[in-house]
Coordinates of all heavy atoms in Angstrom, one line a residue:
Chain H
P72 N -10.6 -17.3 17.0 CA -9.9 -16.5 18.1 C -8.4 -16.7 18.2 O -7.7 -15.9 18.8 CB -10.6 -17.0 19.4 CG -11.2 -18.3 19.1 CD -11.5 -18.3 17.6
V73 N -7.9 -17.8 17.6 CA -6.5 -18.0 17.7 C -5.7 -18.1 16.4 O -4.6 -18.5 16.3 CB -6.2 -19.4 18.5 CG1 -6.7 -19.3 19.9 CG2 -6.9 -20.5 17.8
P85 N -8.2 -26.0 17.5 CA -9.1 -26.6 18.5 C -10.1 -25.6 19.0 O -11.3 -26.0 19.2 CB -8.1 -27.0 19.6 CG -6.8 -27.2 18.9 CD -6.8 -26.2 17.8
A86 N -9.7 -24.4 19.2 CA -10.7 -23.4 19.8 C -11.8 -23.1 18.7 O -13.0 -23.0 19.1 CB -10.0 -22.1 20.1
T89 N -14.2 -26.1 18.7 CA -15.0 -26.1 19.9 C -16.1 -25.1 19.7 O -17.3 -25.3 20.0 CB -14.2 -25.7 21.2 OG1 -13.1 -26.7 21.3 CG2 -15.1 -25.8 22.4
L90 N -15.8 -23.9 19.2 CA -16.8 -22.9 18.9 C -17.8 -23.3 17.9 O -19.0 -23.1 18.1 CB -16.1 -21.6 18.4 CG -15.7 -20.6 19.5 CD1 -14.8 -19.5 18.9 CD2 -16.9 -20.0 20.2
D93 N -20.1 -25.7 19.6 CA -21.0 -24.9 20.4 C -22.2 -24.3 19.6 O -23.3 -24.4 20.0 CB -20.3 -23.8 21.1 CG -19.4 -24.3 22.3 OD1 -19.5 -25.5 22.5 OD2 -18.7 -23.5 22.8
R96 N -24.6 -27.0 18.5 CA -25.4 -27.5 19.6 C -26.5 -26.5 19.9 O -27.6 -26.8 20.1 CB -24.5 -27.8 20.8 CG -25.2 -28.6 21.9 CD -24.3 -28.8 23.1 NE -23.7 -27.6 23.6 CZ -22.4 -27.2 23.6 NH1 -21.6 -28.0 23.0 NH2 -22.0 -26.1 24.1
E112 N -19.7 -12.9 21.6 CA -19.2 -11.5 21.7 C -19.0 -11.1 23.2 O -18.1 -10.4 23.5 CB -20.2 -10.6 21.0 CG -19.6 -9.2 20.9 CD -20.7 -8.2 20.3 OE1 -21.8 -8.7 20.0 OE2 -20.4 -7.0 20.3
S113 N -19.9 -11.7 24.1 CA -19.8 -11.3 25.5 C -18.5 -11.8 26.1 O -18.0 -11.3 27.1 CB -21.0 -11.8 26.2 OG -20.9 -13.1 26.5
V114 N -17.9 -12.9 25.5 CA -16.7 -13.5 26.1 C -15.5 -12.8 25.4 O -14.5 -12.4 26.0 CB -16.7 -15.0 25.9 CG1 -15.4 -15.6 26.2 CG2 -17.8 -15.6 26.7
Y115 N -15.5 -12.8 24.1 CA -14.3 -12.4 23.3 C -14.3 -10.9 23.0 O -13.3 -10.4 22.6 CB -14.3 -13.2 22.0 CG -13.8 -14.6 22.1 CD1 -14.7 -15.6 22.2 CD2 -12.5 -14.9 22.3 CE1 -14.3 -17.0 22.3 CE2 -12.1 -16.2 22.4 CZ -13.0 -17.3 22.4 OH -12.6 -18.5 22.6
G116 N -15.4 -10.2 23.1 CA -15.5 -8.8 22.7 C -15.9 -8.7 21.3 O -16.0 -9.7 20.5
I128 N -18.7 3.0 17.3 CA -17.7 3.1 16.2 C -18.0 2.2 15.1 O -17.6 2.5 13.9 CB -16.3 2.9 16.8 CG1 -15.2 3.4 15.8 CG2 -16.1 1.5 17.2 CD1 -15.1 4.9 15.7
F131 N -19.9 3.7 12.3 CA -19.0 4.5 11.4 C -18.5 3.6 10.2 O -18.5 4.0 9.1 CB -17.9 5.0 12.2 CG -17.2 6.3 11.7 CD1 -18.0 7.4 11.4 CD2 -15.9 6.4 11.5 CE1 -17.4 8.5 10.9 CE2 -15.3 7.5 11.1 CZ -16.1 8.6 10.7
L132 N -18.1 2.4 10.6 CA -17.6 1.5 9.6 C -18.6 1.2 8.5 O -18.3 1.0 7.3 CB -17.2 0.2 10.2 CG -15.9 0.2 11.0 CD1 -15.6 -1.1 11.7 CD2 -14.7 0.5 10.1
V135 N -19.2 4.7 6.4 CA -18.2 5.2 5.5 C -18.3 4.7 4.1 O -18.2 5.6 3.2 CB -16.8 4.9 6.1 CG1 -15.7 5.1 5.1 CG2 -16.5 5.8 7.3
W153 N -20.1 19.0 -15.7 CA -19.2 20.0 -16.1 C -18.6 19.8 -17.5 O -18.5 20.7 -18.3 CB -18.1 20.0 -15.0 CG -17.1 21.1 -15.2 CD1 -17.3 22.4 -15.0 CD2 -15.7 21.0 -15.6 NE1 -16.2 23.2 -15.2 CE2 -15.2 22.3 -15.6 CE3 -14.9 19.9 -16.0 CZ2 -13.8 22.6 -16.0 CZ3 -13.6 20.2 -16.3 CH2 -13.1 21.5 -16.3
P162 N -15.5 26.2 -27.6 CA -14.2 26.3 -27.0 C -13.3 27.2 -27.8 O -12.2 27.5 -27.3 CB -13.7 24.8 -27.1 CG -14.4 24.2 -28.3 CD -15.7 24.9 -28.4
S164 N -11.8 30.6 -29.2 CA -11.9 32.0 -28.9 C -12.1 32.9 -30.1 O -12.0 32.4 -31.2 CB -10.5 32.4 -28.2 OG -9.5 32.3 -29.2
D167 N -9.5 32.5 -32.5 CA -9.5 31.3 -33.3 C -10.4 31.5 -34.6 O -10.0 31.1 -35.7 CB -10.0 30.1 -32.5 CG -9.1 29.7 -31.4 OD1 -7.9 30.0 -31.5 OD2 -9.6 29.2 -30.4
Chain B
M19 N -4.4 26.6 -30.8 CA -5.8 27.1 -31.1 C -6.6 27.0 -29.8 O -7.5 27.9 -29.6 CB -6.4 26.3 -32.2 CG -7.3 27.1 -33.0 SD -7.5 26.5 -34.7 CE -8.4 25.1 -34.5
P22 N -6.1 29.1 -25.0 CA -6.8 29.9 -23.9 C -7.6 29.0 -23.0 O -7.6 29.2 -21.8 CB -7.7 30.9 -24.7 CG -7.0 30.9 -26.0 CD -6.5 29.6 -26.3
T23 N -8.3 28.0 -23.5 CA -9.2 27.1 -22.7 C -8.3 26.3 -21.8 O -8.6 26.2 -20.6 CB -10.0 26.2 -23.6 OG1 -10.6 26.9 -24.6 CG2 -11.0 25.4 -22.8
R31 N -8.9 22.6 -12.4 CA -8.9 21.2 -12.2 C -7.9 20.8 -11.1 O -8.2 19.9 -10.3 CB -8.6 20.5 -13.5 CG -9.3 19.1 -13.5 CD -9.1 18.5 -14.9 NE -9.9 19.2 -15.9 CZ -9.8 18.9 -17.2 NH1 -9.0 17.9 -17.6 NH2 -10.4 19.6 -18.1
L49 N -10.3 8.7 10.6 CA -10.7 7.3 10.8 C -9.6 6.6 11.6 O -9.8 5.9 12.6 CB -10.8 6.5 9.5 CG -12.2 6.7 8.8 CD1 -12.1 6.0 7.4 CD2 -13.2 6.0 9.6
A52 N -9.7 7.8 15.2 CA -10.8 7.2 15.9 C -10.6 5.8 16.3 O -10.8 5.4 17.4 CB -12.1 7.3 15.0
F53 N -10.1 5.0 15.3 CA -9.9 3.5 15.6 C -8.8 3.3 16.6 O -8.8 2.3 17.4 CB -9.8 2.7 14.4 CG -11.1 2.6 13.7 CD1 -11.4 3.3 12.5 CD2 -12.1 1.7 14.2 CE1 -12.6 3.1 11.9 CE2 -13.3 1.6 13.6 CZ -13.6 2.3 12.5
V56 N -10.4 4.5 20.0 CA -11.7 3.9 20.5 C -11.6 2.4 20.7 O -12.3 1.8 21.4 CB -12.8 4.2 19.4 CG1 -14.1 3.5 19.8 CG2 -13.0 5.7 19.5
Q64 N -13.5 -9.3 28.8 CA -14.9 -9.0 29.1 C -15.3 -9.7 30.4 O -16.3 -9.5 30.9 CB -15.8 -9.6 28.0 CG -15.3 -9.2 26.6 CD -16.0 -7.9 26.1 OE1 -15.4 -6.9 26.1 NE2 -17.2 -8.0 25.7
R68 N -17.0 -11.1 36.4 CA -18.0 -12.1 36.1 C -17.7 -13.4 36.7 O -16.5 -13.7 36.9 CB -18.3 -12.2 34.6 CG -19.0 -11.0 34.0 CD -18.9 -10.9 32.6 NE -19.3 -12.0 31.8 CZ -19.3 -12.1 30.5 NH1 -19.0 -11.0 29.8 NH2 -19.6 -13.2 29.8
S134 N -4.6 -27.1 23.8 CA -5.1 -28.0 22.8 C -5.2 -29.4 23.4 O -4.3 -29.8 24.1 CB -4.1 -28.0 21.6 OG -4.3 -29.2 20.9
P135 N -6.3 -30.1 23.1 CA -6.5 -31.4 23.7 C -5.3 -32.4 23.4 O -4.9 -33.2 24.2 CB -7.8 -31.9 23.1 CG -8.5 -30.7 22.7 CD -7.4 -29.7 22.3
P158 N -11.2 -28.3 26.3 CA -11.4 -27.4 25.2 C -12.5 -26.4 25.4 O -12.4 -25.3 25.0 CB -11.7 -28.3 24.0 CG -11.4 -29.7 24.5 CD -11.4 -29.7 26.0
Q159 N -13.6 -26.8 26.1 CA -14.7 -25.9 26.4 C -14.2 -24.7 27.2 O -14.6 -23.6 27.0 CB -15.8 -26.6 27.0 CG -17.1 -25.9 27.1 CD -17.6 -25.5 25.7 OE1 -17.8 -26.4 24.9 NE2 -17.8 -24.2 25.4
V161 N -11.3 -23.4 27.3 CA -10.5 -22.5 26.4 C -11.4 -21.5 25.8 O -11.1 -20.3 25.7 CB -9.7 -23.3 25.4 CG1 -8.9 -22.4 24.5 CG2 -8.7 -24.3 26.1
V162 N -12.5 -21.9 25.3 CA -13.5 -21.0 24.6 C -14.3 -20.2 25.6 O -14.5 -19.0 25.5 CB -14.4 -21.9 23.7 CG1 -15.6 -21.1 23.3 CG2 -13.7 -22.4 22.6
S163 N -14.7 -20.8 26.8 CA -15.5 -20.1 27.7 C -14.7 -19.0 28.4 O -15.3 -18.0 28.8 CB -15.9 -21.1 28.9 OG -16.6 -22.1 28.3
Y164 N -13.4 -19.1 28.5 CA -12.6 -18.0 29.0 C -12.1 -17.1 27.9 O -11.4 -16.1 28.2 CB -11.3 -18.6 29.8 CG -11.7 -19.1 31.2 CD1 -12.3 -20.3 31.4 CD2 -11.4 -18.3 32.3 CE1 -12.6 -20.8 32.6 CE2 -11.8 -18.7 33.5 CZ -12.3 -20.0 33.7 OH -12.7 -20.4 35.0
G165 N -12.5 -17.3 26.7 CA -12.1 -16.4 25.6 C -10.6 -16.3 25.4 O -10.1 -15.2 25.1
V166 N -9.9 -17.4 25.5 CA -8.5 -17.4 25.4 C -8.1 -17.2 23.9 O -8.6 -17.9 23.0 CB -7.9 -18.7 25.9 CG1 -6.4 -18.8 25.6 CG2 -8.1 -18.9 27.4
T167 N -7.3 -16.2 23.6 CA -6.8 -16.0 22.2 C -5.3 -16.2 22.1 O -4.8 -16.1 20.9 CB -7.2 -14.5 21.8 OG1 -6.6 -13.6 22.8 CG2 -8.7 -14.3 21.8

Side-chain angles (χ1 to χ4, degrees):
Chain H
V73 292
T89 307
L90 270 172
D93 285 354
R96 193 180 56 249
E112 188 185 356
S113 75
V114 173
Y115 284 98
I128 192 72
F131 205 50
L132 285 176
V135 163
W153 186 70
S164 66
D167 292 335
Chain B
M19 210 153 75
T23 310
R31 206 173 295 175
L49 278 175
F53 284 106
V56 174
Q64 312 269 100
R68 283 163 52 177
S134 157
Q159 190 61 56
V161 176
V162 167
S163 303
Y164 279 81
V166 174
T167 55

